[in-house]
Amino acid sequence: MPNTFFITTAIDYTNGAPHIGHAYEKVLADAIARHQRLAGRDVFFLTGVDQHGQKVQQSAQKRGVDPAEFVAEITSLFVELWKKLDLSHDAWAATVENLHKSCVQGMLQRLWDEGQFYKATQSGYYSVRQEQFLTEKERGPDGEFGPEWGEVVEIEEENYYFKLAEHRDWLLHLIDSRTQAGNPLVVPDFRVAELRNAVEKLTGDLCISRPKSRLTWGIELPFDPAFVTYVWFDALSNYISFAGYDAQPGADLSLFKSRWPALHVIGKDILIPPHGIYWMIMLRALGFTNAEMPTLLVHGWWNISGAKMSKSLGNSIDPEVLVARYGQAAVRYYLLSDISTGRDADFSIERLEQRYNAELANSLGNLLNRTLSMAKRYRSGILRRMESPLAAFVQEKTTAYDAAMKSYQVQAAIEAAMEIVTRCNAYVEETAPWKLAKDPAQSDKLDEVLYTLSESLRIISILMSPIIPREADAIRAQLNWQVEASLAATQWGALPEGHQLGEPVPLFPRIETQE
């Protein structure tokens, strides 16, 4: 195991503004990274932007601006949104950076020198949107290429090709051996068969270049300046270029090896072929061993009434607008709690508002406010350290939370944490502290209740810190608990005898439904 937990997301394509799928992917990766930090691991969380390609060049030409200016403008939208969503990434990958260009050219030169590329002429149908040649198997039952390929043109040109097909049997063996070892290449495991079926059908090689006569906005081939490299060969390489990899013989790779292999968080639409086939074979060709292959965490899509979101259909959701209207906590909480990792889900403003109001405002926020208010009213905010009938339950749910997060099932982890909140609210109704306060004979019981609620909230704040980090910090501040959050600190009983709680401040104001 490397010293560092290395997690990456697919880098965002700078040919359009961020959408809700981008936001979900980044928040999911951020929650996983934050949980790993809670567990005491060093984390290297990488995200960024993919800035090259034919579509970018065409979009810039339509706008009458240089491609570099165009991608800088779009990139700024992503940067600002990730700040607003409180992402905790450690590094930023931008594929126009010299560090990345140098690494990619080093990889290209090495693979050329080792005979992994060859030059050939190809004619056929080419998808401008997907930037690849199409084969007959891409045609639909009606004999036409589907709308997912966008504009399709017939061209003939000379290019360089990567010997992809000769690695087919190795990749099948890798998929099978990882699955048998209980460490599947793709998570969730229901995606494994999908990938394996695609690899079984692999027959052709990969075109890794584009002539400058057609595309100039890309990384130049070091062995032939008349060509730039294919955008996927460029974009996928960010996972290693920004982690310290150098393809030059004898390069110092100690930093890189302390981080690698990585967990790649990607959407299901780019599992096949880019990540599941191209990337794995690229790494093998560069000399990466089976043990050094990354794991692919594949998430589903946010749909609207079962249909994929699309600007052309007018049903897309702008995450910038959501954060401005509801705040980052509401957006983060909804995105992570309303979808099971790997599955699709329907996006709903009504669900966002309902979940926030019911679970954060009414349940967690109310529990915090009433606990601190009662402690202040009945005990001047000072706790007695008491045994608790809920201690075992809270520890059981904490264990369930940790197990869910380790398997990247963030929704299930949130459910475990919120079960503690629900149980605590029921405990308040069962014990009725306002009645206990009127009976001197029930003084110890009142202290037990106040300690139980306060200690449960302290643990809840730690569990929620990967989900709603700012608000989790605010809960601990109101509890006057200054110890840094960690999973080790979720053991019951950390609040000491005589602990002074802070002042209650409403944390989750209710959302008033707007038309």
Side-chain angles (χ1 to χ4, degrees), residues 380-438:
S380 300
I382 298 174
L383 298 177
R384 287 179 62 199
R385 193 176 188 278
M386 306 290 287
E387 296 297 321
S388 169
L390 296 193
F393 175 83
V394 172
Q395 297 291 248
E396 175 190 335
K397 294 304 173 184
T398 299
T399 300
Y401 164 95
D402 189 39
M405 288 296 289
K406 284 178 178 175
S407 61
Y408 314 128
Q409 293 300 318
V410 179
Q411 181 195 44
I414 293 173
E415 289 177 357
M418 292 305 293
E419 284 185 61
I420 302 175
V421 178
T422 300
R423 182 68 189 91
C424 285
N425 277 316
Y427 180 65
V428 173
E429 300 306 317
E430 293 164 8
T431 57
W434 49 91
K435 294 181 180 179
L436 298 177
K438 297 176 181 178

Side-chain angles (χ1 to χ4, degrees), residues 1-6 36 41-42 257-261 291:
M1 179 182 290
N3 300 337
T4 301
F5 178 79
F6 181 13
Q36 290 288 333
R41 293 192 69 182
D42 290 334
K257 289 185 176 181
S258 73
R259 294 168 171 167
W260 191 263

Side-chain angles (χ1 to χ4, degrees), residues 86-274:
D86 203 16
L87 295 194
S88 62
H89 52 277
D90 302 287
W92 178 257
T95 57
V96 295
E97 290 190 20
N98 288 332
L99 177 150
H100 177 72
K101 291 180 180 179
S102 176
C103 182
V104 170
Q105 288 185 321
M107 293 163 55
L108 291 166
Q109 186 66 56
R110 176 173 164 181
L111 293 176
W112 171 252
D113 292 343
E114 294 177 0
Q116 291 286 345
F117 298 154
Y118 63 90
K119 197 174 187 181
T121 299
Q122 181 176 4
S123 61
Y125 293 96
Y126 181 82
S127 165
V128 177
R129 173 184 293 174
Q130 301 297 341
E131 301 189 33
Q132 69 182 71
F133 280 97
L134 305 180
T135 64
E136 289 303 311
K137 65 183 179 182
E138 269 86 43
R139 291 185 186 274
D142 60 357
E144 300 295 324
F145 295 109
E148 69 272 19
W149 299 110
E151 180 188 4
V152 176
V153 296
E154 193 171 6
I155 62 175
E156 178 181 77
E157 64 184 21
E158 192 175 39
N159 271 304
Y160 288 89
Y161 291 82
F162 176 37
K163 296 177 181 178
L164 204 69
E166 67 181 33
H167 298 273
R168 171 186 172 276
D169 291 344
W170 163 81
L171 185 51
L172 287 172
H173 173 72
L174 175 68
I175 293 169
D176 292 344
S177 61
R178 287 276 297 259
T179 301
Q180 291 163 8
N183 178 32
L185 190 66
V186 184
V187 180
D189 57 9
F190 67 80
R191 295 283 180 199
V192 173
E194 179 184 345
L195 174 59
R196 197 184 193 286
N197 290 338
V199 176
E200 283 186 329
K201 298 173 183 175
L202 180 62
T203 56
D205 292 332
L206 174 65
C207 179
I208 61 95
S209 69
R210 299 292 183 265
K212 282 188 177 177
S213 59
R214 181 158 63 84
L215 174 64
T216 58
W217 182 241
I219 297 177
E220 188 177 277
L221 298 188
F223 49 84
D224 192 336
F227 293 82
V228 297
T229 193
Y230 173 45
V231 70
W232 275 118
F233 213 99
D234 165 5
L236 290 166
S237 302
N238 93 90
Y239 300 130
I240 57 178
S241 65
F242 289 94
Y245 181 75
D246 188 336
Q248 299 299 322
D252 180 5
L253 298 179
S254 55
L255 175 62
F256 174 72
K257 289 185 176 181
S258 73
R259 294 168 171 167
W260 191 263
L263 174 71
H264 296 332
V265 182
I266 63 171
K268 66 178 185 178
D269 54 324
I270 54 174
L271 168 62
I272 300 167

Side-chain angles (χ1 to χ4, degrees), residues 242-425:
F242 289 94
Y245 181 75
D246 188 336
Q248 299 299 322
D252 180 5
L253 298 179
S254 55
L255 175 62
F256 174 72
K257 289 185 176 181
S258 73
R259 294 168 171 167
W260 191 263
L263 174 71
H264 296 332
V265 182
I266 63 171
K268 66 178 185 178
D269 54 324
I270 54 174
L271 168 62
I272 300 167
H275 287 81
I277 299 178
Y278 299 166
W279 182 227
M280 298 299 163
I281 294 176
M282 285 165 60
L283 289 172
R284 188 200 187 207
L286 287 167
F288 284 64
T289 66
N290 286 9
E292 293 172 328
M293 293 296 152
T295 298
L296 306 175
L297 175 58
V298 183
H299 64 78
W301 285 339
W302 282 99
N303 299 322
I304 294 286
S305 300
K308 183 182 178 183
M309 290 188 194
S310 168
K311 288 184 178 180
S312 61
L313 295 176
N315 65 353
S316 61
I317 301 294
D318 185 346
E320 184 91 24
V321 173
L322 285 182
V323 175
R325 178 172 171 181
Y326 297 108
Q328 59 90 20
V331 175
R332 284 180 65 108
Y333 186 81
Y334 173 72
L335 291 179
L336 294 173
S337 65
D338 214 48
I339 187 172
S340 177
T341 308
R343 303 289 181 180
D344 291 352
D346 269 352
F347 186 91
S348 166
I349 290 293
E350 292 75 20
R351 286 277 293 168
L352 185 157
E353 294 176 347
Q354 290 166 4
R355 293 203 77 134
Y356 174 88
N357 283 335
E359 297 171 27
L360 293 184
N362 293 354
S363 194
L364 177 54
N366 189 44
L367 176 65
L368 175 65
N369 192 268
R370 72 199 305 198
T371 297
L372 294 177
S373 296
M374 289 188 296
K376 182 179 180 180
R377 183 181 307 119
Y378 305 137
R379 292 292 186 263
S380 300
I382 298 174
L383 298 177
R384 287 179 62 199
R385 193 176 188 278
M386 306 290 287
E387 296 297 321
S388 169
L390 296 193
F393 175 83
V394 172
Q395 297 291 248
E396 175 190 335
K397 294 304 173 184
T398 299
T399 300
Y401 164 95
D402 189 39
M405 288 296 289
K406 284 178 178 175
S407 61
Y408 314 128
Q409 293 300 318
V410 179
Q411 181 195 44
I414 293 173
E415 289 177 357
M418 292 305 293
E419 284 185 61
I420 302 175
V421 178
T422 300
R423 182 68 189 91
C424 285
N425 277 316

Side-chain angles (χ1 to χ4, degrees), residues 26-87:
K26 303 308 177 279
V27 171
L28 173 62
D30 184 66
I32 294 169
R34 288 177 183 273
H35 172 258
Q36 290 288 333
R37 295 189 188 104
L38 284 183
R41 293 192 69 182
D42 290 334
V43 171
F44 184 67
F45 174 18
L46 174 69
T47 190
V49 282
D50 166 19
Q51 297 164 303
H52 289 128
Q54 188 169 356
K55 286 180 287 185
V56 172
Q57 179 175 288
Q58 290 175 339
S59 295
Q61 288 171 343
K62 288 179 181 177
R63 290 267 299 273
V65 298
D66 184 78
E69 180 182 343
F70 177 79
V71 298
E73 178 184 331
I74 302 297
T75 295
S76 67
L77 300 178
F78 286 99
V79 171
E80 288 306 309
L81 179 60
W82 301 157
K83 288 178 181 177
K84 292 175 181 177
L85 283 170
D86 203 16
L87 295 194

